[in-house]
Amino acid sequence: MNAVARQRITVLGSTGSVGVSTLDVIARHPERFEVFALSAATKVDEMLAQCVRFMPRFAVMASAPHAERLATLLRDNGVSTRVLQGEGALETIAAHEDVDSVMAAIVGAAGLGPCLAAARAGKRLLLANKEALVVGGELFMDTVRAGGATLLPIDSEHSAIFQ
């Protein structure tokens, strides 16, 4: 029997409740999933712990001071995760050629840019952020279709339409 390649996952909003739950599922199935990248706004200590545990290639923080602090702590702990910061970095980790799936759990309209980037890149987009649909609407859905992305609603509010 052939081994199936593990899915490489980017978790946008990894320190929030949906992100933490996603990482719990990934940890329970290491033969199926690996963390490619994580992002958080300001929770440096939580991000440090996640990077130590999952060893992602990238970690993104919202601001330069938070990114610098995380980079220092990761270096001090011997973790080689590359730290980036800002909106452009979120789009980079969402659309990266090595990513299979993107869990989008960033709160508010801040999640629209990386969701559009993932959709343009044809990723499997696990959407827990309803604001991308509310703010982006038709543009977002057109981008999903044009990019050949797969959109999967994750949050109960999205999934209710299927129940």
Side-chain angles (χ1 to χ4, degrees), residues 45-132:
D45 293 334
E46 289 91 333
M47 178 64 86
L48 172 63
Q50 290 176 349
C51 289
V52 167
R53 181 170 184 195
F54 293 98
M55 298 295 197
R57 191 181 310 175
F58 297 102
V60 175
M61 298 302 295
S63 71
H66 292 101
E68 290 165 12
R69 182 163 173 252
L70 178 63
T72 298
L73 291 169
L74 288 171
R75 251 189 326 274
D76 292 349
N77 284 276
V79 178
S80 64
T81 297
R82 184 171 169 210
V83 180
L84 307 172
Q85 64 92 25
E87 175 80 16
L90 291 173
E91 293 180 15
T92 297
I93 65 170
H96 197 284
E97 65 183 354
D98 291 341
V99 171
D100 299 306
S101 298
V102 176
M103 167 54 80
I106 294 177
V107 175
L112 181 60
C115 286
L116 287 170
R120 278 192 296 273
K123 302 302 178 187
R124 181 178 302 110
L125 185 55
L126 312 171
L127 190 64
N129 169 357
K130 66 183 173 290
E131 287 84 2

Side-chain angles (χ1 to χ4, degrees), residues 15-71:
T15 60
S17 63
V18 173
V20 168
S21 293
T22 299
L23 291 174
D24 181 55
V25 170
I26 290 170
R28 292 171 192 256
H29 302 281
E31 73 287 353
R32 295 179 61 193
F33 305 108
E34 68 181 273
V35 175
F36 176 80
L38 300 171
S39 79
T42 61
K43 296 179 179 178
V44 174
D45 293 334
E46 289 91 333
M47 178 64 86
L48 172 63
Q50 290 176 349
C51 289
V52 167
R53 181 170 184 195
F54 293 98
M55 298 295 197
R57 191 181 310 175
F58 297 102
V60 175
M61 298 302 295
S63 71
H66 292 101
E68 290 165 12
R69 182 163 173 252
L70 178 63

